[in-house]
Amino acid sequence: MKFETPATNNPIDQLKIVGQPVDRIDGPRKTTGTAPYAYERHDVARNQAYGYVLGAGIAKGRVTAMDTAAAKAAPGVLAVVTTLDMPRLEKGQLNTASLFGGPDIQHYHQAIAVVVAESFEQARDATAMIRVSYARAPGRFDLAAEAPKAQLATGDSGEGSGAPHEDRTGDFEGAFAQAPVKLDATYTTPDESHAMMEPHASIAAWEGEKLTVWTSSQMIAWGKRDLAKTLGIPTESVRLDSPFIGGGFGGKLFLRADAVLAALGARAARRPVKLALTRPLVANNTTHRPATIQHIRIGAGRDGRITAIAHESLSGDLEGGGPETAVAQTKLLYAGANRLTAMRLAILDLPEGNAMRAPGEAPGLMALEIAMDEMAEKLEIDPIEFRIINDTQVDPEHPERPFSQRQLIQCLRQGAERFGWNRRNATPGQRREGRWLVGMGVAAGFRNNLVMKSGARVRLDAGGRVTVETDMTDIGTGSYTIIAQTAAEMMGVPLDKVTVRLGDSSFPVSAGSGGQWGGNSSTAGVYAACVKLREAVAQRLAFNSVEAEFVDGQVRAGNRSAPLGQAAGADGLVAEDTIEYGELATRYQQSTFAGHFVEVGVNAATGETRVRRMLAVCAAGRILNPKSARSQVIGAMTMGVGAALMEELAVDKRHGFFVNHDLAGYEVPVHADIPHQEVIFLDEMDPVSSPMKAKGVGELGICGVGAAVSNAIYNATGVRVRGYPITLDKLLDRLPQVT
Ligand code: MOS
């Protein structure tokens, strides 16, 4: 099905099941421990051996020798494969760093060996016996130090966030020079780790030349293609299966070393091999969100109208990588005739930088939305009013392109009322509750809505049961549930008459999970397949397919009616289709919006920040399931608090690696850090986005949160911190005197 004109009325609009806050259909399996994750697929292949991956102990240089004699002779060892045993493997299309092979080391903890043994402990012990000799080369590990050498770089996060290396509208410099009120400030965000609960893990088994990998991947088709390319085998020879995923956040978008080394280990050992990356390897072997240094200049008239806005960002990556697209939202979020965005890329020899939840916008808004707060203060305008004054209903660089929907003002106004914004004192440092300095902050949330081609197969059996098969993934988001809701609504059956099977590369290729495109796109694919199945049902029953209604397990047309299952017959009925998108996605700017509100207390003596209340008001099209969507948003808000207050991969600038490479050293919020969160979804439908009229919401929830926390800290204390995370040491000696 080609989606080329805005959606009109369709069966989804009944909203009997879609749009309802139904519980997750995979919930019982998740909560009883019977949803198997990659490392737990004990039953899929007999006689599984254990693999253990060795990461390089240098960040740059060469492996000159590897002594594996002791490892090979160690108890239980079945095979040892080292990087010197094979030439550098071809890179997957989406990988920046090579995953294995050859002597050259591009980054710390690059995989240099896999040991396969009868038990995990034997594999780990033997790995420790490998002696590696290196020729170390000097590396570049300090973003600020490399800044002078950084080049302008075009970037595309691949997730709907991108910008040319430099983009100008009007005359920024002239307008900025003349602006009566201006801000010129620099903000920094650190390297961050996805730190998902489930590490990267794979079980690989060969049958002749055919390879099956049970893994943990957000994007099945990408993984299959790139694994085949890396191993130099035909794509058709690879099957990937990933039905349950314990978080990805962008870290599992692309093929990683676990799948490659499980496959190589299994080939060498002639046994199925299972392996997981250890925590240190998750941080240093895979990808991370790159640090940024962002320079923002805003000029405005005394009326609060922005006349000039510039956002320039510097980030680093390995040779061949791209910039963090932190300027992307600044192209679209606020009006202003004179505009400049630019991105610079410094070549660094740190592990690969890549997508992490809302790449571009998440760190970009952490800077821009503090700048907006600072500017509002200079203008003596309420920060919400300042944003409203500068709202735009069209792409400010291309005014002929309207937003398909844009309810930012409504998000901010409704949030202000709900949160009690009128109780905020505009003068910082005024509200004291015992030892706590209390303040409120706001930020706009913005994230583009990407639509992706997505396929599905739907089966109907004689009992009226509907089975959906698609290689879509559920990374903890609720895909199973919204897909079941879609199929149930379309076929007129209750939810428990639907089975959903996901994550297998033998199913039709879907949108996958990334860039908050998964929910809308994958259900639209299921919608398309169900439209075909409805036609097939009507045809079988010799009903008029235009008139046919699918209600309560029955099909009705005119005065005729039949049970749905009757159409299936003994052999069943199958339909398959793919939703594809036409020009609508470019004619309109499709984005999602939020108002993020935060109240914090800052301990006047210790400088500790405690978040007290959070509210997100989101405008993100039709909400397919308010319960799972809310879970997505509160998870993202929590991650936003982490980014604001805790998360930072500490760079060892001498040896070039992330030091705090485990969940003890890499701090993320726990329940005790997050007291009260509320989420409101505005009533919205976007007929331009898809037949589902939905948009993405999983990343919108993090976009702007960091700045809202930061702005609340400023309101509480009068201390402006422009470098994340806002740890107590950055506040301590600047806090108001405790009396
Ligand atoms: Mo993307 S960072 O996997 O949503």
Side-chain angles (χ1 to χ4, degrees):
M1 176 184 291
K2 191 114 195 222
F3 182 71
E4 288 175 303
T5 51
T8 52
N9 249 15
N10 68 45
I12 297 295
D13 295 324
Q14 301 171 95
L15 297 181
K16 287 184 189 159
I17 301 172
V18 171
Q20 302 303 316
V22 302
D23 289 344
R24 289 203 186 182
I25 62 170
D26 52 330
R29 295 189 76 186
K30 291 273 177 77
T31 50
T32 54
T34 51
Y37 292 86
Y39 200 76
E40 304 163 340
R41 305 289 300 271
H42 311 299
D43 53 338
V44 292
R46 289 163 51 86
N47 210 16
Q48 295 174 18
Y50 291 80
Y52 198 88
V53 178
L54 176 64
I58 63 166
K60 179 110 180 125
R62 247 171 349 101
V63 177
T64 53
M66 294 179 79
D67 177 356
T68 57
K72 282 179 174 156
V77 170
L78 301 166
V80 178
V81 181
T82 78
T83 201
L84 298 183
D85 295 340
M86 59 178 63
R88 173 177 278 197
L89 297 177
E90 188 165 354
K91 259 185 347 181
Q93 201 172 310
L94 296 163
N95 295 114
T96 302
S98 162
L99 295 178
F100 196 67
D104 295 331
I105 300 300
Q106 290 178 289
H107 66 88
Y108 188 81
H109 269 180
Q110 178 178 316
I112 56 170
V114 59
V115 175
V116 180
E118 291 289 351
S119 76
F120 169 78
E121 290 77 9
Q122 288 171 329
R124 184 180 55 185
D125 275 7
T127 305
M129 294 173 193
I130 299 176
R131 291 286 157 257
V132 188
S133 308
Y134 299 101
R136 194 189 290 259
R140 298 152 288 187
F141 309 124
D142 185 342
L143 178 61
E146 296 301 315
K149 282 180 264 169
Q151 300 290 318
L152 284 169
T154 294
D156 178 357
S157 71
E159 293 202 352
S161 167
H165 56 98
E166 187 176 86
D167 213 359
R168 289 175 176 276
T169 304
D171 168 22
F172 168 76
E173 278 81 2
F176 185 68
Q178 281 172 22
V181 182
K182 51 185 125 185
L183 169 85
D184 181 333
T186 297
Y187 307 86
T188 63
T189 63
D191 296 289
E192 292 176 1
S193 182
H194 306 86
M196 68 293 275
M197 294 270 275
E198 182 204 21
H200 301 72
S202 290
I203 299 172
W206 293 88
E207 256 178 83
E209 289 306 301
K210 299 267 182 209
L211 172 66
T212 304
V213 180
W214 296 271
T215 189
S216 185
S217 168
Q218 297 175 224
M219 300 292 296
I220 298 302
W222 292 1
K224 173 179 157 127
R225 181 195 63 202
D226 275 354
L227 181 56
K229 187 168 181 239
T230 303
L231 296 174
I233 59 177
T235 309
E236 311 78 70
S237 301
V238 176
R239 179 180 157 229
L240 248 54
D241 186 35
S242 183
F244 292 100
I245 296 140
F249 309 117
K252 293 175 183 168
L253 284 169
F254 316 122
L255 177 70
R256 304 304 328 165
D258 57 306
V260 174
L261 293 185
L264 294 177
R267 191 152 69 188
R270 299 173 180 280
R271 289 260 294 267
V273 167
K274 77 160 67 175
L275 64 83
L277 297 187
T278 58
R279 279 290 157 193
L281 265 74
V282 173
N284 279 301
N285 176 274
T286 72
T287 63
H288 68 284
R289 192 201 296 281
T292 64
I293 300 174
Q294 302 180 46
H295 181 204
I296 295 181
R297 286 172 288 170
I298 304 176
R302 299 217 177 272
D303 59 357
R305 284 185 196 285
I306 293 173
T307 53
I309 183 162
H311 193 162
E312 295 162 277
S313 176
L314 167 73
S315 59
D317 203 359
L318 290 167
E319 195 88 53
E324 178 70 24
T325 55
V327 306
Q329 73 289 318
T330 308
K331 300 167 74 59
L332 290 161
L333 191 47
Y334 298 114
N338 303 288
R339 322 176 64 89
L340 161 66
T341 58
M343 294 187 292
R344 283 182 179 72
L345 178 66
I347 303 305
L348 296 181
D349 300 301
L350 289 170
E352 176 176 336
N354 221 315
M356 179 167 143
R357 202 173 198 168
E361 281 94 336
L365 284 161
M366 285 165 78
L368 178 66
E369 289 297 290
I370 299 184
M372 289 296 285
D373 200 64
E374 296 200 56
M375 199 59 195
E377 188 182 34
K378 283 177 188 265
L379 288 158
E380 297 179 8
I381 297 176
D382 177 86
I384 292 177
E385 288 311 311
F386 178 49
R387 288 175 173 90
I388 289 172
I389 290 169
N390 290 291
D391 186 54
T392 173
Q393 293 294 314
V394 296
D395 174 345
E397 294 176 358
H398 306 279
E400 69 286 359
R401 280 180 81 231
F403 284 94
S404 62
Q405 300 272 346
R406 177 166 165 137
Q407 297 204 67
L408 175 60
I409 292 180
Q410 292 81 344
C411 291
L412 291 167
R413 286 219 195 282
Q414 221 185 95
E417 198 182 309
R418 185 67 162 246
F419 203 65
W421 186 253
N422 59 6
R423 295 200 302 275
R424 172 181 177 268
N425 191 327
T427 311
Q430 300 302 303
R431 190 170 150 206
R432 277 287 287 275
E433 290 179 16
R435 284 174 296 146
W436 297 93
L437 297 157
V438 180
M440 288 186 214
V442 69
F446 173 93
R447 176 72 174 150
N448 281 334
N449 179 63
L450 222 65
V451 289
M452 295 278 268
K453 187 174 154 176
S454 195
R457 185 157 58 221
V458 197
R459 301 176 186 280
L460 175 67
D461 73 12
R465 171 158 286 281
V466 177
T467 300
V468 184
E469 294 171 340
T470 162
D471 85 354
M472 180 59 189
T473 49
D474 189 328
I475 58 177
T477 41
S479 309
Y480 277 103
T481 312
I482 56 174
I483 284 171
Q485 288 175 273
T486 303
E489 192 85 62
M490 289 298 290
M491 301 313 298
V493 298
L495 208 51
D496 62 11
K497 281 281 204 183
V498 180
T499 302
V500 179
R501 301 173 67 200
L502 300 182
D504 187 329
S505 64
S506 63
F507 299 154
V509 174
S510 74
S513 298
Q516 75 170 10
W517 66 60
N520 176 52
S521 299
S522 69
T523 53
V526 174
Y527 168 92
C530 287
V531 168
K532 274 205 175 164
L533 183 60
R534 287 165 62 113
E535 283 163 8
V537 167
Q539 201 175 18
R540 274 265 176 102
L541 297 171
F543 284 13
N544 179 333
S545 74
V546 183
E547 279 177 25
E549 286 179 17
F550 293 70
V551 185
D552 298 334
Q554 300 283 315
V555 193
R556 297 184 198 131
N559 54 8
R560 298 172 60 198
S561 158
L564 180 63
Q566 191 181 309
D571 299 340
L573 263 183
V574 187
E576 185 176 329
D577 203 5
T578 295
I579 187 109
E580 293 180 74
Y581 295 89
E583 267 189 2
L584 281 179
T586 43
R587 265 214 334 263
Y588 293 88
Q589 176 58 41
Q590 293 187 30
S591 304
T592 61
F593 298 88
H596 284 292
F597 293 79
V598 173
E599 183 177 275
V600 300
V602 179
N603 188 303
T606 67
E608 291 166 84
T609 297
R610 288 279 180 268
V611 177
R612 297 182 151 204
R613 293 191 293 138
M614 300 180 80
L615 166 67
V617 183
C618 303
R622 169 178 282 158
I623 300 302
L624 300 174
N625 180 333
K627 189 179 260 184
S628 56
R630 176 181 176 276
S631 296
Q632 277 298 288
V633 174
I634 64 173
M637 289 158 80
T638 304
M639 212 164 175
V641 171
L645 300 176
M646 302 164 197
E647 291 187 51
E648 175 172 25
L649 282 168
V651 181
D652 183 318
K653 291 176 185 167
R654 297 160 307 158
H655 299 295
F657 70 104
F658 299 128
V659 181
N660 49 344
H661 46 37
D662 56 42
L663 293 179
Y666 188 82
E667 285 186 39
V668 297
V670 297
H671 280 89
D673 296 312
I674 305 294
H676 186 270
Q677 294 175 319
E678 195 182 352
V679 182
I680 296 170
F681 295 111
L682 296 188
D683 205 3
E684 186 177 282
M685 276 196 303
D686 197 335
V688 163
S689 72
S690 83
M692 303 302 293
K693 304 172 187 168
K695 291 198 275 203
V697 77
E699 295 185 324
L700 178 64
I702 191 176
C703 291
V705 172
V709 173
S710 168
N711 296 339
I713 291 173
Y714 177 73
N715 182 246
T717 62
V719 181
R720 187 66 80 177
V721 179
R722 299 191 182 87
Y724 291 97
I726 308 173
T727 44
L728 57 84
D729 51 297
K730 295 175 185 168
L731 294 167
L732 204 51
D733 57 3
R734 296 160 70 193
L735 289 173
Q737 272 307 312
V738 185
T739 51

